Each structure stands twice: as C-alpha cells, then as structure tokens.
C-alpha cells in the first residue's frame, strides 16, 4: 500500500498604496490533494490495483477592507444588511489629474474545484494473453461565487452640468469637481450588486477491457474497448437556466406585436414579426441544461510485428483507436435572475435635488430619486427573464466529441548505431462544438456579396441614410418601448434598426446556442526520425514532419455555415533536432 498527500499555497497582495484597508487586494491560491493506492498480488498471474484520490483547487480573491462594516464610516445600514460580503464600498474619481480610486469594484470571488476519483484494474496473465479489466469513477464539483460590488461602488465624475458646476449646462472645472462632489457626498454614478453562490456537479463512470496477445514471438496484438457514461452538469439548488423555448409567448409578445403592426417595416410583414421565446429553468424533475449520449464507446487495436526476414532489425506497428472528449464540469447553465445589479440614480429633476451617500438607494417617494435596491428574482420570472437582454443556451441533445486516430510506423536499424523511423498518422475529429448566433440567421439574405464596401446594403441593415439623399431610413418605431417586461435600452429607445427587428426572437439583444456539434477537423502527417548513437552514451536525433490540418473554423458571418479549409494551427513543415 502506498499513499501521498500534498498542499501548496500561493499568496499575493497588490495595490495596497496606503498600507491600510482603504486599498489593496489579496489573492490566495491553494492546491491540495492526496492519493491512496493498494496493489494486491493474488498469484504470479493475477494482480489487483486499486487507488482513490482527491484533488482540490481553491482560489480566493478579496480586498483588504473585507469584514469592515460600511456603517462604521457613515453609510446606511441597508448596504450591509443586503450585502453578500461585508466590506467598504468603492469610491472612484474621474478628473483631469486621474486621481487614485478608493477600494475595488469587487468585494471578493471564491472558486473551489474538487475532483474525486476511484480507479481499479485487475490483470490476469493466461498463456499468451494478458487480460486487463477495470473501472474508473470520477466526481467533479465546482463551487463559485463572484460578489461584484456587494457593498456598492460610487463614482464622482467630472462633467458638464454636475451639481457643483455653475448651471445645468455649464462646463465643469478643469480640476477638483470630482473631489467637490465627494466632499458633498453626491455621486453621479454607481451600482450595487447582489449575487448568489453556485455549486455545479457532474459524474463520469468508465469501464474498460484490454487483451495483449503474444500471438507469436515476433507478433503482438493488443485489443481493447472502453465504455463511459457521463452525467450532465447540474446545480445543487437548481439555480440555473436549462433551456430556451423559441416559440412560446412571453409577457411582451402581444403588446409588441400590436405596436409593430401599427408601424410595420416594408422588410418584414406584421405576421412575420414574432417576439416570442423564453428561458426555461431547472427543476427537481428536469435539472440539466443539455442531454449527454447514454454511452460512449471507444474501441482500440494495436499490432506490433517484427518480420523474421529482417533478423530483428525492423518493426512494423499499426494502430487504430477512438478517443472521446468528455464534457466534464466545464459547461454550466446560465444563472439569469440569481444576480441583480441596481444602478445608482443621482436625480430625477436634472440635478435640482440629488441623492447622496447617506441614503444612496432611497425608498421614499420624497427622495430626490426613489431607487430602492433590487433583489434577485431567481426563477420567478420564468420565460419573462432577461427580455431586452441576451439569451444563451445549450444545444439540447449533445453528441460526444471524439477522435478517430490511425497510425502506421516502420522502424529499421542500420548497422549497430543508426535507427530510422518513418510513420504516417491520421487524426479525424468529429462532433466538435461551436457557438452559433441563431438570432442573426434571418439577416444573412440581406448581406452584400460584393468584394467592395457596399453602402446600400450597410445602410439598409443599420437604418442609416446617404448623406446626399437616397432611400429613406429603414428604421422603425421601437415596438418594445414602454412594454411591460422589457428591460435595458429596448425599453427606452425610440427606434430600432433592421439588424435588430429582423432577428429571430427580436425582443432579445442576442440569442446564442452553444455546444452545437457541427465542427470537425482532419489531420494527416508523415513523420521521419533518424537516431544516431554517438560515443559516451550520447544519442543524436533528427525529426521531420510533413503535415496538413484541415477543419471547420470561424463563420464568415454570424449565424452562417462554418468554413472548411486550412486552420490557423496548420504548420506543414517542422524539423527538430536534439540529443540525449
């Protein structure tokens, strides 16, 4: 039996200009783990190897003021009572002299990643065969928390018409206006953030069989197969989006359709304007954001043959195998609704009265601008989440990425000191994933095919007009302005350009489907190596590679088909030399 344990720590500090809690950050990285292995020899031909391991990665970033209550320096108690990490708020200045900011935009981040593995293999030697059977079980757990501006960030910016300027449109002073605002406690920008922690889990179970058969003294055949089952990533509390329904009506659909029908575009009939779609959230009965294939199968075979005619001076090797690339714990669903940011509003009457640091997010209607802290909605908005924002989701039924690898290698010895090795390698990768901007697909027919800058096509999609006349603007009256449920600029802007209202699900600024299994690559290489044994144990090697790597890569336009051809990693000729 054998075991080991390890732990390493990397602690850094930065930007602590005043050597007190007002500035400075702390980054603490800890990597730890351990392994316990037991090998049992039941007989000269039967062995069992069992090992279990745990690895953990901790990455914590915090600020020096962490733990100091904002109320201790005069801020209202509700900043601390709603905070997920107690610390001093950030104060930023924007002035002619670029003054130093106080504090940081984030109150802290925590990342913890655990991998737990149990591996076992049983070896049995029987005659000319060596059989291997085993299991590989892994659990991945990732915990993440990004507090953001958990105690608030407040900006004091130089600007025309600010509360210390001569009038609402007077120019700001060349220097000092930001500090004057600070002394009065009147920010003109800022935000407050409430975030939730997340823990994502996934599991991988593997089972494998292998047989090394010494068919002849000069011929060995190795065959094997591996079976794997992987679970999709889930969040422990189901706090994530697990899909997108593009055709469902949301709270804004009817009102936006009515508004568009009143002012339609000649480019899109009213019946074709479909502001539908909505996020779907995880539930106890439907937790995952995608579905994995039920089983990954990876067969492999290798042949090594030393022809007797060459008197043990030549070896020919053949190999073929399928190698899968599990998704592991890297693809986590979106967390729309579980983090909420509240923008600071300084005034509702053009600066006649202003909010201040003593009550930056007031609830009273008598305040300069009532603006209470917004709480996260979680999954309560359902399909009405993020209307007016972006939507990202995963391709629902994934295909596991895998590689088919085939090789042929011939090795020949010349004399007693020279070895020549020539080989061919093919590696074909399929079901590689990419992200597709599905909302932009309807725009593709309007794009120019001209090799030159096409002003007319550009103006049509952007709504711009020629400076010296020409077709009228293709902008329309914004059908989402003032519509309940819409957020962001869509709620306030007066017009929309065609590159927005022609999109699929136009109530979103963008809709992206990730993990689309449509990419592939094909690698072919001819490799040659010459090794020469010199005196005193020195061996000189010279290696040459002639290769070609083709594959699908970037889309020419968002939503378009992938291009196939030479990739940026295609380096046809490579030579290296080294000595050992």
């Amino acid at each position: 039996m054998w075991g080991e344990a390890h732990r390493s720590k990397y602690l850094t500090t930065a930007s602590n200009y005043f050597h007190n809690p007002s500035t400075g950050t702390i980054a603490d990285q800890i990597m730890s783990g351990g392994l316990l292995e037991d090998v049992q020899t039941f007989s000269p031909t039967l062995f069992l190897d069992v090992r279990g391991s745990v690895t953990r990665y901790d990455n914590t970033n915090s600020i020096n003021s962490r733990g100091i209550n904002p109320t201790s320096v005069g801020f209202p108690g509700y900043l601390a009572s709603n905070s997920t990490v107690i610390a001093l708020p950030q104060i930023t200045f924007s002035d002619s002299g670029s003054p130093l900011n106080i504090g940081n935009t984030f109150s802290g981040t925590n990342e913890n990643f655990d991998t737990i593995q149990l591996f076992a293999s049983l070896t049995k030697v029987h005659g000319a065969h060596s059989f291997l059977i085993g299991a590989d079980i892994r659990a991945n757990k990732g915990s993440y928390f990004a507090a953001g501006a958990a105690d608030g960030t407040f900006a004091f910016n130089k600007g025309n018409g600010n509360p210390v300027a001569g009038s609402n449109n007077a120019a700001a002073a060349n220097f000092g206006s930001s500090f004057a605002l600070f002394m009065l406690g009147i920010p003109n920008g800022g935000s407050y953030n409430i975030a939730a922690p997340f823990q994502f889990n996934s599991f991988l179970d593997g089972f494998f069989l292998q047989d090394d058969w010494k068919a002849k003294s000069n011929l060995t055949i190795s065959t094997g197969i591996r079976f794997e089952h992987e679970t999709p990533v889930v969040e422990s509390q189901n706090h994530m989006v697990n899909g997108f329904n593009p055709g469902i009506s949301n709270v804004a659909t009817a009102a936006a359709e009515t508004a568009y029908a009143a002012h339609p575009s000649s480019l899109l009939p009213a019946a074709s304007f479909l502001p539908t779609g909505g996020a779907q959230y995880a539930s106890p009965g439907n937790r995952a954001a995608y579905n994995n294939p039920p089983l990954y199968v990876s067969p492999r075979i290798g042949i090594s043959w030393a022809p007797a005619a060459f008197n043990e001076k030549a070896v020919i090797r053949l190999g073929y195998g399928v190698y899968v690339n599990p998704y592991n714990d890297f693809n986590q669903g979106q967390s729309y609704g579980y983090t909420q940011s509240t923008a600071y509003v300084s005034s509702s009457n053009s600066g006649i009265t202003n909010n201040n640091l003593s009550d930056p997010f007031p609830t009273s209607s008598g305040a300069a601008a009532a603006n209470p802290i917004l709480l996260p909605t979680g999954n309560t908005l359902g399909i009405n989440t993020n209307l007016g924002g972006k939507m990202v989701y995963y391709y629902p039924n994934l295909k596991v990425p895998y590689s088919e690898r085939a090789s042929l290698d011939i090795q020949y010895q010349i004399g007693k000191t020279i070895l020549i090795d020539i080989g061919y390698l093919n590696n074909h990768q399929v079901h590689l994933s990419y992200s597709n901007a599905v909302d932009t697909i309807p725009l593709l027919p309007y794009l120019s095919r001209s090799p030159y800058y096409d002003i007319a096509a550009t103006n049509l999609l952007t709504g711009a007009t020629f400076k010296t006349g020409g077709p009228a603007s293709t902008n329309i009256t914004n059908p989402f302005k003032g519509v309940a449920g819409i957020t962001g600029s869509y709620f306030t802007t007066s017009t929309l350009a065609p590159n927005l209202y022609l999109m699929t699900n136009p109530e979103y600024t963008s809709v992206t489907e990730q993990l689309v299994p449509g990419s592939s690559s094909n690698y072919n290489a001819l490799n040659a190596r010459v090794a020469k044994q010199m005196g005193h144990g020195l061996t000189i090697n010279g290696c040459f590679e002639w290769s070609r790597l083709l594959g699908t890569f970037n889309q020419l336009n968002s939503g378009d088909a992938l291009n196939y051809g030479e990739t940026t990693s295609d380096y046809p000729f490579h030579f290296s030399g080294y000595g050992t």
Side-chain angles (χ1 to χ4, degrees):
M1 181 177 287
W2 176 85
E4 68 89 17
H6 60 270
R7 184 179 188 273
S8 61
K9 181 182 177 72
Y10 182 54
L11 180 67
T12 60
T13 60
S15 305
N16 189 359
Y17 302 109
F18 303 122
H19 301 285
N20 62 38
S22 64
T23 59
T25 60
I26 303 172
D28 190 6
Q29 295 180 339
I30 300 175
M31 287 157 280
S32 58
L35 179 146
L36 186 64
E37 183 176 17
D38 183 28
V39 179
Q40 292 289 334
T41 303
F42 300 108
S43 72
T45 61
L46 184 62
F47 315 93
L48 176 65
D49 183 3
V50 179
R51 61 180 179 263
S53 65
V54 177
T55 59
R56 181 176 178 87
Y57 171 72
D58 298 300
N59 184 14
T60 302
N61 293 275
S62 61
I63 57 179
N64 284 337
S65 68
R66 187 165 182 168
I68 300 178
N69 198 307
T71 58
S72 64
V73 291
F75 286 94
Y78 62 73
L79 290 187
S81 62
N82 287 287
S83 176
T84 51
V85 176
I86 298 297
L88 293 179
Q90 184 196 34
I91 303 296
T92 67
F93 301 97
S94 176
D95 218 316
S96 300
S98 300
L100 182 68
N101 297 328
I102 306 298
N104 295 86
T105 54
F106 69 94
S107 298
T109 62
N110 293 85
E111 177 185 4
N112 314 101
F113 190 82
D114 301 305
T115 300
I116 304 170
Q117 182 182 30
L118 176 64
F119 178 89
S121 64
L122 180 68
T123 303
K124 172 63 178 176
V125 178
H126 179 71
H129 293 269
S130 178
F131 298 102
L132 180 68
I133 183 173
D136 183 2
I137 301 172
R138 308 176 201 175
N140 299 311
K141 294 183 175 291
S143 302
Y144 308 93
F145 175 64
D151 300 276
T153 176
F154 301 99
F156 299 87
N157 299 323
K158 170 187 175 182
N160 296 342
N162 67 33
V164 294
S167 66
N168 283 351
N169 55 10
N174 288 330
F175 181 79
S177 61
S178 62
F179 289 104
L181 289 171
F182 177 64
M183 294 176 68
L184 293 173
I186 303 177
N188 48 11
S191 63
Y192 186 92
N193 197 69
I194 300 177
F198 303 94
Q199 178 174 298
F200 298 98
N201 311 298
S202 70
F203 299 88
L204 175 70
D205 303 325
F207 177 78
F208 56 90
L209 296 165
Q210 183 172 318
D211 175 25
D212 293 329
W213 176 31
K214 190 75 171 178
K216 293 183 178 181
S217 60
N218 63 344
L219 176 63
T220 301
I221 301 174
S222 297
T223 57
I225 191 167
R226 182 179 176 95
F227 303 94
E228 292 174 306
H229 171 71
E230 182 181 25
T231 65
V233 175
V234 297
E235 205 281 324
S236 292
Q237 304 299 318
N238 297 323
H239 288 173
M240 72 175 190
V241 172
N242 73 343
F244 177 68
N245 186 340
I248 194 170
S249 295
N250 55 59
V251 68
T253 300
E257 287 177 339
T258 300
Y260 181 82
H263 304 282
S265 167
S266 60
L267 301 176
L268 184 69
S272 299
F273 180 75
L274 302 173
T276 58
Q280 296 176 325
Y281 279 88
S283 65
N286 185 17
R287 303 187 65 192
Y290 54 85
N291 299 309
N292 292 104
L295 187 66
Y296 306 160
V297 182
S298 306
R300 297 161 195 181
I301 184 171
I303 300 173
S304 177
W305 178 43
F310 291 96
N311 299 317
E312 299 183 348
K313 289 190 174 183
V315 178
I316 300 174
R317 300 183 183 92
L318 289 167
Y320 173 82
V322 174
Y323 303 87
V324 301
N325 183 18
Y327 288 96
N328 291 313
D329 196 36
F330 304 122
N331 302 289
Q332 300 142 4
Q334 302 297 318
S335 56
Y336 303 134
Y338 292 99
T339 297
Q340 182 65 58
S341 181
T342 305
Y344 173 81
V345 178
S346 59
S347 177
S348 61
N349 53 19
S350 301
I352 297 175
T353 56
N354 295 274
N355 288 330
N356 55 65
L357 292 182
S358 63
D359 189 13
F361 299 97
T363 58
S364 171
S365 59
N371 184 37
I373 291 175
L374 302 175
L375 300 178
T377 57
N379 62 2
T380 58
L381 295 180
I383 61 173
N384 300 315
T385 300
N386 246 37
L387 301 181
K390 69 177 182 179
M391 181 57 57
V392 178
Y393 65 99
Y394 292 130
Y395 190 86
N397 297 306
L398 300 184
K399 297 179 180 179
V400 61
Y402 68 89
S403 171
E404 295 178 299
R405 185 183 178 100
S407 64
L408 169 63
D409 180 84
I410 301 175
Q411 197 174 73
Y412 185 74
Q413 180 179 333
I414 300 176
K416 294 183 179 180
T417 60
I418 298 176
L419 179 70
I420 297 176
D421 191 354
I422 298 176
Y424 167 75
L425 173 66
N426 172 257
N427 189 36
H428 182 210
Q429 293 181 300
V430 297
H431 297 163
L432 304 179
S433 60
Y434 72 101
S435 296
N436 192 26
V438 295
D439 58 318
T440 61
I441 294 175
L443 304 181
L444 296 176
Y446 297 94
L447 300 180
S448 174
R449 269 59 180 174
S450 172
Y452 306 103
Y453 181 67
D454 192 328
I455 297 177
T458 301
N459 286 356
L460 184 142
L461 281 178
T462 61
T465 56
F466 292 97
K467 293 182 178 180
T468 57
S473 171
T474 49
N475 286 348
I476 62 168
T477 301
N478 178 16
F480 302 111
K481 183 177 182 179
V483 173
I486 296 295
T487 61
S489 61
Y490 277 19
F491 187 77
T492 57
T493 190
S494 298
T495 61
L496 284 187
N499 59 359
L500 298 177
Y501 65 76
L502 289 177
M503 293 197 304
T504 306
N505 310 109
E507 74 275 27
Y508 297 98
T509 55
S510 66
V511 180
T512 304
E513 186 175 43
Q514 296 182 336
L515 297 183
V516 180
S519 186
S520 64
S521 71
N522 194 19
Y523 176 78
N524 291 275
L526 179 65
N527 301 290
R529 179 173 71 95
V530 177
K532 170 72 166 117
Q533 286 187 344
M534 311 298 286
H536 307 287
L538 175 64
T539 300
I540 302 296
N541 292 267
C543 302
F544 175 74
E545 177 186 284
W546 180 23
S547 65
R548 190 67 183 274
L549 177 59
L550 302 175
T552 53
F553 51 99
N554 296 339
Q555 299 159 300
L556 179 61
N557 300 290
S558 296
D560 209 343
L562 292 171
N563 295 308
Y564 184 85
E566 296 178 356
T567 73
T568 55
S569 300
D570 182 36
Y571 299 97
F573 301 104
H574 178 76
F575 176 80
S576 64
Y578 60 94
T580 56

